[in-house]
Amino acid sequence: MHLSPPLILGILATLSITLAIPKPGRYNAELPTNMRYVDKSFSLQVRDTIYQGDGSVHAGWPAINKWLPFDQLWRQNKNSMYKSCVLNGWGANNSPEELKNLRKAIFQAVDEDGFSPLEANHRRSFYLAVVLQESGGCVPTTNNGVRNPGLMQDHNGRGTCNENKIIREPCPKHTINLMIQEGTQGTPFGDGLEQLIAKARGMGAPDAQAYYMAARLYSSGSIPADQNLSGGIGSTDSYASDIANRLTGAIWNESTSY
């Protein structure tokens, strides 16, 4: 059968549209049970893995050498960070200056502690993944009633540009620094990521597992009795798994991640 050029173009357009639309629902029955379509991407269907177990490589979690370097992770998520504030109704989108200050704040939080170059890069990537998970990188983030303010939604910290729904725009550099400092180093009310990584290592967790355990602790305050890091204990079940996926390249539309 001969197809005319207009008909061919019409068929191709239909196929293009079909491929661009995420499949209905969060799960795709044609995928293995530990895989799902992330229907949160801006333009691409990105699969992420639902990791189960104790966060170890033996349990199937990504080894630390599978993580994206910080610079690549930043470039990959920069567009979504620009858009996340309006998507969430948290005020105007981030300015280039605010994102530049966020990047600098992450470097400052790591550089102050004198890590080796390799460890420093792992820390930067991990801190950025938590920022994306907690706030989408939106500088004037909400505290959602229970006071977990700022970019990292820390435990009752002082750093915020959205207090009682009063949004401060632009968010000052020193406040952005404080948000990252409180999320990584903790507040008088709760541990930050640094303490939680150290706690996980004290429990015998090596390499990437310590970071995944720290993510679980940051989200829910404890590790489930069965050691399954995808057990939320009242918080987001997939939190640690989402962090692992972000670190290995999954991208979300940052209006539905938290």
Side-chain angles (χ1 to χ4, degrees):
M1 178 177 67
H2 177 72
L3 298 177
S4 66
L7 182 56
I8 292 173
L9 290 174
I11 293 171
L12 289 175
T14 301
L15 288 173
S16 175
I17 292 170
T18 301
L19 291 172
I21 299 174
K23 295 187 178 183
R26 190 169 179 80
Y27 295 92
N28 180 341
E30 298 175 1
L31 294 173
T33 55
N34 71 325
M35 297 293 291
R36 64 187 175 189
Y37 270 95
V38 180
D39 56 3
K40 298 179 283 188
S41 63
F42 282 112
S43 59
L44 298 174
Q45 288 185 349
V46 181
R47 292 181 199 175
D48 72 338
T49 303
I50 305 173
Y51 296 107
Q52 301 285 346
D54 64 2
S56 65
V57 174
H58 178 74
W61 292 64
I64 207 162
N65 62 6
K66 301 298 183 183
W67 292 9
L68 298 186
F70 174 82
D71 286 338
Q72 184 178 349
L73 195 65
W74 179 270
R75 287 194 302 270
Q76 182 169 294
N77 289 278
K78 191 174 182 179
N79 188 52
S80 67
M81 287 191 286
Y82 269 123
K83 298 179 180 181
S84 61
C85 296
V86 167
L87 283 172
N88 286 283
W90 294 341
N93 279 330
N94 289 325
S95 67
E97 186 70 15
E98 286 172 319
L99 281 189
K100 182 174 74 173
N101 289 335
L102 168 56
R103 180 185 172 89
K104 286 182 177 179
I106 293 173
F107 269 79
Q108 181 176 320
V110 173
D111 293 346
E112 287 177 346
D113 290 321
F115 298 111
S116 70
L118 184 61
E119 173 81 357
N121 197 54
H122 293 154
R123 295 263 174 159
R124 292 185 195 111
S125 292
F126 181 63
Y127 294 169
L128 177 57
V130 172
V131 167
L132 292 167
Q133 183 73 14
E134 293 287 349
S135 67
C138 176
V139 171
T141 51
T142 182
N143 64 33
N144 290 317
V146 176
R147 199 170 187 285
N148 300 121
L151 284 157
M152 303 185 79
Q153 299 288 281
D154 58 66
H155 192 168
N156 200 27
R158 296 177 293 117
T160 180
C161 279
N162 186 342
E163 192 70 65
N164 298 320
K165 299 184 179 180
I166 299 174
I167 298 174
R168 187 175 183 184
E169 295 172 343
C171 192
K173 179 179 180 179
H174 68 85
T175 304
I176 294 173
N177 286 340
L178 183 57
M179 292 180 193
I180 299 302
Q181 178 186 331
E182 291 179 329
T184 58
Q185 299 176 18
T187 72
F189 302 94
D191 288 338
L193 294 175
E194 286 187 11
Q195 294 96 329
L196 297 174
I197 293 167
K199 183 176 182 178
R201 286 178 172 167
M203 297 166 65
D207 302 324
Q209 185 183 17
Y211 289 90
Y212 303 140
M213 289 177 66
R216 179 73 279 158
L217 289 164
Y218 192 74
S219 175
S220 59
S222 60
I223 302 294
D226 64 1
Q227 304 299 305
N228 181 13
L229 300 187
S230 287
I233 319 178
S235 62
T236 304
D237 286 347
S238 64
Y239 189 94
S241 180
D242 288 345
I243 293 295
N245 279 289
R246 290 182 185 279
L247 287 165
T248 51
I251 307 174
W252 280 264
N253 172 325
E254 300 301 347
S255 64
T256 54
S257 304
Y258 353 99

